[in-house]
Amino acid sequence: MNPVFEVHKTIRTILLKVLDNHSLEQLNKIPDGFSNNLIWNIGHCISSQQVLVYKLSELPIMVSEEFIAKYKKGTKPEGDVSQAEVDEIRTLLLKTLDQTELDYNNGVFKEYNVYTTSMGFTLHNADDALSFNNYHEGIHTGIVMSIRKFV
């Protein structure tokens, strides 16, 4: 297996465990000193992966534009999410991971719009995007680990 996908799978497994081990109230709580919550960080990982890997490759995304808008960089929770939304995020954590690996192995990623992230990394192709995505999801997994101590 490609190490990039092994890392991605590990990150997503950790995020799934957070979903499974926290109540809806805990997932929605924004602790003092934080600007978002557990569920926003997890949704943000999915949203960002879809933009970085698919949109910039000019391929269809697997989530709605509303989902992207709700969890994109610069947003914050505007209310509690429902259990149905948590269930959707749980499904998307696995679905987007599996489909991305399948698409990668099938050579779907051909075009890419070069993009420089806010951290200064320039992504030239889907391989760069996949590597950066793991770094990005790792950062948000760390934030999730911090938040869960306070909920």
Side-chain angles (χ1 to χ4, degrees):
M1 175 188 276
N2 183 324
V4 169
F5 290 107
E6 285 183 51
V7 171
H8 199 194
K9 213 167 266 192
T10 300
I11 292 167
R12 294 288 177 99
T13 299
I14 291 167
L15 296 176
L16 281 167
K17 287 179 182 174
V18 170
L19 288 179
D20 291 339
N21 292 313
H22 292 82
S23 68
L24 185 59
E25 181 182 339
Q26 289 173 311
L27 292 171
N28 279 301
K29 182 176 180 176
I30 302 173
D32 290 341
F34 291 87
S35 58
N36 49 48
N37 53 28
L38 293 171
I39 198 65
W40 183 91
N41 277 279
I42 297 170
H44 175 71
C45 287
I46 296 165
S47 174
S48 295
Q49 186 260 5
Q50 289 293 289
V51 171
L52 291 169
V53 179
Y54 282 86
K55 267 196 167 196
L56 290 171
S57 293
E58 298 187 14
L59 293 169
I61 56 175
M62 292 175 255
V63 299
S64 68
E65 288 294 340
E66 293 79 19
F67 188 94
I68 297 290
K70 184 173 184 175
Y71 294 104
K72 71 182 179 181
K73 180 181 177 167
T75 64
K76 58 184 179 179
E78 293 186 12
D80 288 352
V81 302
S82 66
Q83 185 60 52
E85 289 173 280
V86 172
D87 294 343
E88 176 190 19
I89 287 171
R90 177 182 283 107
T91 299
L92 287 170
L93 276 171
L94 295 173
K95 179 182 171 187
T96 56
L97 167 70
D98 292 341
Q99 188 62 50
T100 303
E101 185 174 17
L102 183 65
D103 288 344
Y104 183 85
N105 290 335
N106 287 331
V108 169
F109 301 103
K110 296 180 184 341
E111 303 295 322
Y112 198 83
N113 294 312
V114 175
Y115 175 75
T116 301
T117 70
S118 60
M119 303 190 91
F121 294 105
T122 299
L123 310 177
H124 297 95
N125 53 46
D127 285 311
D128 291 351
L130 289 164
S131 293
F132 177 79
N133 183 70
N134 282 347
Y135 167 74
H136 178 259
E137 288 195 18
I139 289 171
H140 284 279
T141 300
I143 294 168
V144 163
M145 293 302 140
S146 294
I147 291 173
R148 70 185 187 140
K149 294 176 185 175
F150 300 101
V151 298

